[in-house]
Amino acid sequence: MPVISLIAPRGLLDPALVSSLQGAFGATGDAVWLAPDEAAEFPVAARPGNLDEVRGGIAGQAVDLNFIDDGDRRKSLLIADMDMTMIGQECIDELAAEAGVGEKVASITARAMSGELEFTEAVAERVGLMKGLSIRAIEHVLETRITLASGGKTLVRTMKAHGARTALVSGGFVQFAARVSELLGFDDVRANALLVENGRLTGDVKRPILGQDAKVEVLTRLSPDASRAIAIGDGANDLGMITRAGMGVAMHAKPVVASAAPLRIDHSDLTACLFLQGYSIEEFS
């Protein structure tokens, strides 16, 4: 049964707003609260024609509004991007700051994630700017600059507790992704590899460079029935898996991604991806 999903940071979802939207969208049943003052949903007959207009109208209330037309909502595969999705940074930008080329690399990253530059070429260009950097900088960045995104551990633990497989798939680097995957408890990890000689970066990446097509390949390999997967990301290189998966979520995403994704979370943390699947907060692990 199609539903309207309403999710906000904890304590910010006003029951009066939920009631108002039930009337505006012609709800066909009562609202179900998945978490008090945080997540609710109610059934509707079809996607409301004014969904985007209403979403814009309530944006100032920090509420994520989505239409979900998916009867089999609880997914058996979680496939997630790393940078700015499962962590709060772009690893390559943080590493570049250690090399003294942070602003230049960050500018290229922003354009690549917005779809203005071809991803694999942007990776090669940015890595080339860090040639000669000691690999000790990687550990320093991991220890001092990288933070896990709120709700990530709960998302991974809960889905695994309910039998799902979890995969971290990044266009970033395995030197970071392996640690992040371990901290969050992912089953699988796939990422690019920085090439190293004599303890320093060579300025190149192992080929082939993992980009949008590779993320789709991992999705289809781990879940031949893509409808059984939830894919989460924020950048243009995530759009392939986001649009292919049964539940594709743009997470605090760039505008080009948010506008194209079936579902979007702009205000809440990663536990929203559990509410989208119909989990109640009592089921969180």
Side-chain angles (χ1 to χ4, degrees):
M1 177 181 296
V3 300
I4 293 292
S5 165
L6 295 160
I7 306 168
R10 187 164 298 174
L12 295 185
L13 184 57
D14 186 350
L17 174 64
V18 177
S19 296
S20 175
L21 292 180
Q22 283 182 272
F25 289 144
T28 60
D30 294 335
V32 175
W33 284 86
L34 302 175
D37 302 323
E38 184 179 3
E41 61 185 45
F42 54 82
V44 290
R47 179 186 174 91
N50 60 343
L51 183 74
D52 291 335
E53 179 183 349
V54 174
R55 178 185 282 141
I58 65 173
Q61 300 184 52
V63 174
D64 291 309
L65 168 64
N66 286 284
F67 169 75
I68 304 172
D69 186 12
D70 187 349
D72 195 6
R73 288 165 63 185
R74 296 199 177 186
K75 302 307 183 186
S76 58
L77 172 68
L78 164 65
I79 182 166
D81 173 51
M82 179 177 69
D83 297 88
M84 299 302 294
T85 301
M86 299 306 298
I87 63 174
Q89 296 78 30
E90 290 280 357
C91 288
I92 194 168
D93 293 356
E94 302 301 327
L95 192 60
E98 294 290 315
V101 291
E103 289 188 8
K104 187 170 185 177
V105 167
S107 175
I108 299 170
T109 299
R111 294 175 64 197
M113 292 301 98
S114 296
E116 298 175 26
L117 298 176
E118 201 280 324
F119 181 77
T120 57
E121 293 179 4
V123 169
E125 180 180 359
R126 287 174 290 170
V127 172
L129 292 170
M130 295 185 288
K131 181 178 181 178
L133 182 66
S134 170
I135 60 171
R136 290 193 296 271
I138 295 174
E139 188 64 30
H140 179 69
V141 168
L142 279 165
E143 292 178 355
T144 64
R145 293 177 177 264
I146 302 304
T147 57
L148 300 179
S150 175
K153 285 186 177 180
T154 300
L155 171 61
V156 174
R157 280 199 308 259
T158 301
M159 289 196 66
K160 290 178 68 172
H162 288 82
R165 187 171 182 177
T166 59
L168 185 67
V169 184
S170 175
F173 308 113
V174 71
Q175 287 90 341
F176 293 95
R179 178 78 63 85
V180 171
S181 174
E182 180 181 5
L183 290 172
L184 291 172
F186 278 92
D187 298 308
D188 302 284
V189 59
R190 176 92 179 269
N192 290 306
L194 292 165
L195 297 180
V196 178
E197 285 183 3
N198 300 319
R200 296 188 177 276
L201 301 186
T202 67
D204 204 356
V205 185
K206 183 178 179 181
R207 298 304 197 271
I209 295 176
L210 185 154
Q212 180 168 199
D213 291 345
K215 291 191 176 193
V216 172
E217 183 275 325
V218 174
L219 165 63
T220 55
R221 176 169 54 83
L222 294 180
S223 183
D225 179 0
S227 70
R228 300 298 307 128
I230 177 171
I232 306 168
D234 76 301
N237 64 321
D238 299 314
L239 267 176
M241 68 177 188
I242 286 174
T243 56
R244 182 74 62 89
M247 189 170 280
V249 184
M251 192 76 197
H252 298 278
K254 312 301 182 290
V256 66
V257 181
S259 64
L263 304 169
R264 59 189 289 178
I265 298 296
D266 298 319
H267 307 287
S268 305
D269 70 11
L270 285 160
T271 58
C273 296
L274 294 170
F275 292 133
L276 290 174
Q277 295 177 78
Y279 286 96
S280 68
I281 196 167
E282 290 82 7
E283 297 176 280
F284 288 10
S285 296

